[in-house]
Amino acid sequence: MLDTLYQWFWWDKLWLPAELSWADLEDKEGRVYAKASHLYVTVPYAFSFLLVRYLFERWIATPLAVSAGIRHRVHLKVEHNPILENYYSTHSRNPLQADINGLSKKSSLPVRQIERWFRRRRRQDHPGVLKKFREASWRFVFYLSAFIGGIAALYDCVLLFHFVHVCPQSMLDSQYWYYILEMSFYGCLLCSVAFDVKRKDFKEQIIHHLATLVLLSFSWCANFIRVGTLVMLVHDASDILLESAKLFNYAKWEKTSHGLFVAFAIVFMVTRLIIFPFWLIHCTWVYPVHHYPAFFGYYFFNVMLVVLLFLHIFWAYLIFRMIRKFLFGTFCFITLV
């Protein structure tokens, strides 16, 4: 049974064009192809990223935050109450007045005291600026390094101009490390969601990370290296500006923060709403069928790209809301990817 499922899953007609098979992707004549077994290393690398992140946040990000005038604010813990804590954890952090009256009867506490308890409990869970600064600084350093690494990986290639075919391509050592480190980082992000700051777009972030990992894994196994590297490069370009804008926002450098946010919004719109759909997706959707019949991998790869595009549209809506607040009201940051 398992052997049958394994053979079906790795059936070359699912992953590759009809005229190709896995035998055609064996290393030969100096040409090296990506293998699914290469991805196993991303698991220990993801956990290694967690360790590197911990050390970075403790020994680099924290002193940097202190030098910027950011201090750790300690919130007093509320008095433990099993009834109120159970409601807070399982029902709502903002109970309605009717629920507060019911909790008052169950706990034999005055209504005002229960309201005060919930306010302090919410404040206790609210992440401090120092924690946000450390997270943003870690992501900024990675995105900047990844973007520079991506440029270096593509510098000696003709990928920027000849990537129109969604078909297997051989890879370079620089592309190998670019892929592996990016996938390990997104795996690290998934592992850290339990203790990271939860933002308003938390669910969309999870979908984005999962879709990115699936897309990168599939493009790696099917050797769609050209498009995969360009997708990662397009995403990293705007993330650098977003995280740097957050850093200056937390440090109260408002003018610098606002300027970086405007630059981020421009780069985001250009890379993710123009280049991504009208250049990358156009090439992966239109040109391949001119050379071979459509196959499952062709449809699956493009569907995952469209999923990312819908997430980009959602985040573009949030960006426009931020710009409106920036121009006409109170401006604040939320997490955007």
Side-chain angles (χ1 to χ4, degrees), residues 27-43:
D27 299 343
K28 54 187 174 182
E29 300 177 356
R31 298 173 68 87
V32 179
Y33 293 93
K35 307 291 189 301
S37 58
H38 294 161
L39 298 181
Y40 294 146
V41 75
T42 60
V43 176

Side-chain angles (χ1 to χ4, degrees), residues 158-172:
V158 294
L159 303 186
L160 289 174
F161 307 99
H162 303 286
F163 67 94
V164 295
H165 304 302
V166 182
C167 59
Q169 302 105 11
S170 60
M171 67 173 178
L172 304 174

Side-chain angles (χ1 to χ4, degrees), residues 314-326:
F314 169 77
W315 280 311
Y317 164 72
L318 296 182
I319 291 173
F320 280 122
R321 288 181 56 188
M322 291 298 100
I323 292 175
R324 186 180 64 180
K325 290 182 179 180
F326 172 59

Side-chain angles (χ1 to χ4, degrees), residues 12 14 20 27 78 152-153 161 198 257 274 286 324-325 330:
D12 47 17
L14 286 177
L20 294 179
D27 299 343
V78 298
F161 307 99
K198 286 184 172 57
S257 175
I274 298 177
V286 174
R324 186 180 64 180
K325 290 182 179 180
T330 304

Side-chain angles (χ1 to χ4, degrees), residues 96-262:
L96 300 175
Q97 190 60 46
D99 297 324
I100 292 177
N101 294 334
L103 291 171
S104 177
K105 294 178 181 179
K106 287 183 180 180
S107 61
S108 301
L109 295 174
V111 170
R112 293 289 297 275
Q113 186 173 344
I114 292 178
E115 293 174 344
R116 190 182 309 114
W117 188 94
F118 274 95
R119 283 197 302 271
R120 292 179 176 176
R121 184 66 179 84
R122 288 193 297 269
R123 194 179 303 119
Q124 180 180 314
D125 279 351
H126 186 71
V129 176
L130 178 60
K131 180 177 177 61
K132 293 180 180 180
F133 184 92
R134 290 188 299 206
E135 286 186 15
S137 60
W138 161 248
R139 297 189 184 194
F140 168 77
V141 168
F142 177 83
Y143 290 136
L144 179 61
S145 303
F147 184 75
I148 295 173
I151 294 294
L154 296 173
Y155 180 76
D156 294 328
C157 307
V158 294
L159 303 186
L160 289 174
F161 307 99
H162 303 286
F163 67 94
V164 295
H165 304 302
V166 182
C167 59
Q169 302 105 11
S170 60
M171 67 173 178
L172 304 174
D173 288 341
S174 56
Q175 292 173 305
Y176 170 85
W177 286 110
Y178 188 37
Y179 251 90
I180 294 299
L181 293 178
E182 282 273 0
M183 293 186 65
S184 300
F185 178 74
Y186 279 104
C188 171
L189 290 181
L190 280 178
C191 293
S192 64
V193 293
F195 53 85
D196 280 346
V197 176
K198 286 184 172 57
R199 314 280 182 166
K200 293 181 180 180
D201 61 344
F202 174 77
K203 294 180 180 179
E204 289 77 14
Q205 284 190 61
I206 297 299
I207 295 173
H208 175 270
H209 297 339
L210 289 174
T212 301
L213 284 173
V214 171
L215 178 65
L216 294 179
S217 299
F218 183 87
S219 64
W220 178 270
C221 294
N223 280 263
F224 300 162
I225 302 298
R226 293 183 179 183
V227 178
T229 51
L230 288 167
V231 168
M232 291 187 290
L233 192 66
V234 164
H235 280 69
D236 290 338
S238 58
D239 289 335
I240 300 169
L241 293 169
L242 174 62
E243 300 303 330
S244 60
K246 290 180 183 178
L247 291 174
F248 283 104
N249 181 58
Y250 300 146
K252 306 299 184 184
W253 289 35
E254 293 185 359
K255 291 184 178 180
T256 305
S257 175
H258 293 173
L260 286 170
F261 183 80
V262 171

Side-chain angles (χ1 to χ4, degrees), residues 70-76 123-124 126-130 252:
I70 300 172
R71 298 289 188 272
H72 178 61
R73 182 176 296 178
V74 180
H75 296 292
L76 296 177
R123 194 179 303 119
Q124 180 180 314
H126 186 71
V129 176
L130 178 60
K252 306 299 184 184

